[in-house]
Amino acid sequence: MKNIITFGTFDLFHVGHLNILERAKTYGDNLIVGISSDKLNISKKQRQPIYSFQERKKIVESLKCVNKVFCEESLEDKVKYCKEFKADILIMGDDWKGKRSGKDNKTFDELLSGVCKVIYLERTPSISTTELIEKISII
């Protein structure tokens, strides 16, 4: 049994979110999704999410490709979450490849070396929650 883990905000759920989750599931048996808490979303995006954590959780939990959803409280706890859920693979969007972040200023590959494999999947072109919010606010 392979456990796959991924993280995201999943606000204004769109086809790009669905694509990455469905593709992530093809790498293993159990897809575990960490959804950013409202507080975490405010700290990383400097805005309240459109949908509350509970609403976003309900949407993601309803997907047949998702086996478990949990609340991601801190960006600094990726290693803890991967160990807690016995992740074999972390899936992230390719926009994270090579990016350094966190207090250790490490890439995901460096941070999770010896914990689990990291795979970056191409994002769906021309769609993002930020772009959707900008389009909606223009209307």
Side-chain angles (χ1 to χ4, degrees):
M1 281 279 225
K2 274 196 179 173
N3 291 327
I4 309 306
I5 194 167
T6 192
F7 298 88
T9 301
F10 302 102
D11 202 12
L12 285 183
F13 196 87
H14 53 70
V15 73
H17 293 135
L18 182 59
N19 288 343
I20 201 161
L21 292 172
E22 286 180 336
R23 289 184 310 167
K25 176 66 177 212
T26 67
Y27 285 85
D29 304 294
N30 295 309
L31 178 58
I32 303 152
V33 181
I35 299 178
S36 302
S37 69
D38 294 340
K39 184 178 175 183
L40 177 57
N41 192 68
I42 292 166
S43 74
K44 70 181 181 180
K45 297 187 179 193
Q46 287 69 58
R47 68 168 175 81
Q48 184 77 25
I50 303 298
Y51 292 112
S52 71
F53 169 78
Q54 288 303 327
E55 292 168 318
R56 293 179 284 125
K57 182 177 185 267
K58 186 174 182 177
I59 291 166
V60 174
E61 281 178 332
S62 74
L63 301 172
K64 59 184 169 185
C65 62
V66 174
N67 299 95
K68 180 165 186 57
V69 173
F70 69 96
C71 183
E72 180 186 17
E73 299 284 354
S74 171
L75 296 174
E76 304 294 330
D77 288 338
K78 292 281 194 276
V79 172
K80 178 186 116 179
Y81 295 129
C82 288
K83 287 180 178 179
E84 179 181 336
F85 293 104
K86 298 176 175 53
D88 297 292
I89 300 171
L90 166 67
I91 300 280
M92 294 299 292
D94 63 356
D95 54 326
W96 282 99
K97 191 169 191 166
K99 267 193 187 173
R100 297 186 173 278
S101 63
K103 61 183 174 216
D104 296 334
N105 195 33
K106 292 184 175 182
T107 66
F108 284 119
D109 298 294
E110 293 167 339
L111 187 65
L112 294 165
S113 176
V115 176
C116 66
K117 183 177 181 176
V118 180
I119 296 175
Y120 300 94
L121 298 181
E122 187 177 335
R123 292 174 57 105
T124 302
S126 303
I127 188 160
S128 77
T129 302
T130 303
E131 287 175 18
L132 287 174
I133 291 170
E134 288 172 5
K135 284 179 186 176
I136 291 167
S137 63
I138 290 171
I139 297 173

